[in-house]
Amino acid sequence: MSTSHSRPAIGASLYFMLAFTLGAYFTFAAVQGDFGVFRQVQIKAEAEALRAERDLLRADLAEMQNKTRRLSDDYLDLDLLDEQARDVLGYVRADEIVIR
């Protein structure tokens, strides 16, 4: 009586192990890699933060351009000039009381 054992071929085991390893690697790379899902979310968050910073800088620039125009030779805003002189140089009129 002869009994034959059927054991899986080593080649098939290596093939499935290699396929599983490659599948796990590519899945990890798709989620965690340089161009993965998490990196895309991080890039979108950074882009939104940079857009918000850009908008604040644009508002600051517009304000500075407005003040520059109002203090130019062509158009002099005396109220703004008075305000800037008081703020920067610390000027006070003789009839004013300073409270600190």
Side-chain angles (χ1 to χ4, degrees):
M1 224 171 39
S2 123
T3 60
S4 67
H5 273 301
S6 73
R7 59 181 187 161
I10 293 176
S13 297
L14 287 175
Y15 173 76
F16 285 117
M17 196 159 106
L18 178 66
F20 176 77
T21 303
L22 285 174
Y25 170 76
F26 287 121
T27 301
F28 177 80
V31 174
Q32 295 280 342
D34 290 340
F35 301 102
V37 175
F38 289 149
R39 181 68 180 137
Q40 294 298 321
V41 170
Q42 184 181 22
I43 288 171
K44 286 180 184 177
E46 288 174 5
E48 187 59 37
L50 289 173
R51 280 189 203 99
E53 183 180 356
R54 179 202 59 199
D55 293 341
L56 287 174
L57 290 173
R58 281 185 178 167
D60 289 345
L61 177 64
E63 182 180 343
M64 287 182 199
Q65 286 174 336
N66 182 30
K67 282 186 178 181
T68 301
R69 186 184 65 77
R70 289 170 53 197
L71 291 175
S72 69
D73 290 338
D74 298 333
Y75 177 85
L76 182 59
D77 185 351
L78 295 177
D79 290 333
L80 180 62
L81 181 62
D82 183 55
E83 176 187 332
Q84 292 296 317
R86 290 168 176 268
D87 186 39
V88 174
L89 301 175
Y91 281 177
V92 181
R93 291 189 189 129
D95 62 342
E96 293 179 333
I97 300 173
V98 178
I99 299 175
R100 292 183 188 207

